[in-house]
Amino acid sequence: MQSRGRHHRTAFLVLMRTAWIAVCAAVLVVSGFAWSTVSTISSGVERSYAIPDDAPRSESGRNILIMGLTTRLDLHGEPLPDDVLRRMQAGESDRGGYNANTLILLHIPVSGPAVAMSVPRDNLVPLSSGGEGKIKEAYGRAKVAEEERLQAAGTHDKRTLERAGREAGRRAQVQTVSTFLNQPIDHLVEISLIGFFHIAEGLGGVDVCLKNATKDPLSGADFPAGPQHLDAGQALSFVRQRHGLPGGDLDRTRRQQAFLASVARRLKGADITVVQAMIDTAKQDVVLDAGFDLTEFARNLPTEVRFDTLPVEGGAHIGGQDVNKVDPAKVREKVNELATAPPPPPPDDGVPCID
């Protein structure tokens, strides 16, 4: 299948919208804000130990796995406030589970442009816990298994179970993606659904452009054709929509990329007070691995980055589910190709229209 991509300049800005906290660090650096401000980003952010100190490391740069979860709960497993759920237009707090519906491998080479590779969420792959499943399911399956193990051993504190379960989910998701792509994972960034909402809300919405009008009651999407400004709730519907799109879930990946590009455009030149407010909000939505040094990360970002989507072979219906069939050898070949490709041409300054 032909891979879909979008080229965007300014590495830190590109991964910013997806990796939020990392984004903020990059924005401050490129904008010329004080390093003392950059260093404050790490304080108060939830940290994970899912990547052990002795884990294999990339020799050609750094690989950062960005995971976007479907859960409507906060980092402690508590329901979001009713007014927030209403504005998100994403259903009740018990919906979504813990699937990693957004998976992006950000490769930052020793030199040259960075590349953000979207991994389609419905790829049928071997899971680290055993057996096959959709790649997005590694997190949720491991979380449930760990919580059941702890409960059987006598642990019943809700927050303890949530913390341990999510750590098991992160480990499983990292291991599953690493094995599938045959790439070590150096760092992870986890952001839940509310994080996407807070990003758009903090920016006062995002600008997008659609080639065709679209409507999908399941996601709340209802957009005319042409350029338009979306508020936070509409932006979340925009990145969640897959029904009614020609390419289904793969087209949703393009929408996530368009959302990120729009965030980058709006953050460029943003006032420091706006950025600081968004940083403070983001801290409640993001998890970083314990070894992720944001100051060092921001200092060494490349000046160019591009987006692409890793290939699938086609669809199949297995076990009552629609899945993507993949050829691991072709996927790994594509990963290596993208990691060593020449810099992309400079992008247009306008908002590109997508399907």
Side-chain angles (χ1 to χ4, degrees), residues 63-265:
N63 289 329
I64 302 172
L65 179 61
I66 300 167
M67 304 185 295
L69 300 184
T70 55
T71 180
R72 276 71 163 168
L73 304 176
D74 67 14
L75 288 179
H76 305 294
E78 299 294 337
L80 299 173
D82 289 341
D83 67 312
V84 173
L85 287 171
R86 176 181 52 78
R87 288 184 288 133
M88 286 173 60
Q89 304 179 69
E92 299 302 318
S93 59
D94 59 352
R95 293 190 57 193
Y98 283 89
N99 286 331
N101 270 10
T102 298
L103 289 168
I104 297 175
L105 181 70
L106 177 70
H107 176 68
I108 301 178
V110 174
S111 63
V115 59
M117 298 171 253
S118 294
V119 183
R121 66 170 193 162
D122 290 336
N123 286 358
L124 185 64
V125 304
L127 301 178
S128 64
S129 58
E132 284 190 324
K134 295 182 179 182
I135 195 167
K136 68 178 182 181
E137 296 174 338
Y139 192 115
R141 289 192 186 188
K143 180 179 184 295
V144 170
E146 178 66 5
E147 290 175 353
E148 290 178 345
R149 184 188 70 80
L150 290 173
Q151 287 174 324
T155 299
H156 299 289
D157 179 73
K158 183 178 178 180
R159 288 206 169 187
T160 299
L161 292 171
E162 181 73 12
R163 170 70 182 178
R166 293 184 75 157
E167 278 289 88
R170 293 167 190 135
R171 288 193 298 270
Q173 197 67 65
V174 166
Q175 293 167 7
T176 297
V177 173
S178 177
T179 300
F180 174 58
L181 300 182
N182 194 31
Q183 292 287 324
I185 305 297
D186 300 292
H187 298 295
L188 72 84
V189 177
E190 174 188 301
I191 183 169
S192 58
L193 199 64
I194 183 62
F196 285 94
F197 177 82
H198 278 152
I199 291 172
E201 186 177 52
L203 288 172
V206 296
D207 297 314
V208 300
C209 181
L210 294 176
K211 294 179 181 178
N212 303 292
T214 183
K215 187 172 184 178
D216 170 32
L218 293 178
S219 65
D222 186 2
F223 310 121
Q228 54 204 283
H229 182 78
L230 307 182
D231 64 23
Q234 291 172 320
L236 190 59
S237 295
F238 178 78
V239 298
R240 291 180 56 233
Q241 184 184 4
R242 62 188 174 95
H243 298 283
L245 301 178
D249 201 63
L250 295 177
D251 276 349
R252 173 158 63 176
T253 297
R254 296 186 65 205
R255 289 181 170 231
Q256 292 169 354
Q257 294 173 357
F259 171 84
L260 301 180
S262 181
V263 171
R265 284 189 296 270

Side-chain angles (χ1 to χ4, degrees), residues 3-73:
S3 52
R4 299 184 175 96
R6 188 173 299 280
H7 302 303
H8 303 296
R9 219 167 167 76
T10 316
F12 79 91
L13 285 174
V14 176
L15 66 113
M16 118 204 311
R17 355 20 164 208
T18 40
W20 196 209
I21 288 285
V23 171
C24 294
V27 173
L28 293 173
V29 173
V30 177
S31 302
F33 292 123
W35 280 105
S36 59
T37 304
V38 177
S39 65
T40 65
I41 297 175
S42 293
S43 63
V45 178
E46 183 84 6
R47 292 287 184 163
S48 167
Y49 296 87
I51 301 177
D53 292 338
D54 60 352
R57 302 294 172 174
S58 174
E59 297 180 355
S60 60
R62 283 172 295 171
N63 289 329
I64 302 172
L65 179 61
I66 300 167
M67 304 185 295
L69 300 184
T70 55
T71 180
R72 276 71 163 168
L73 304 176

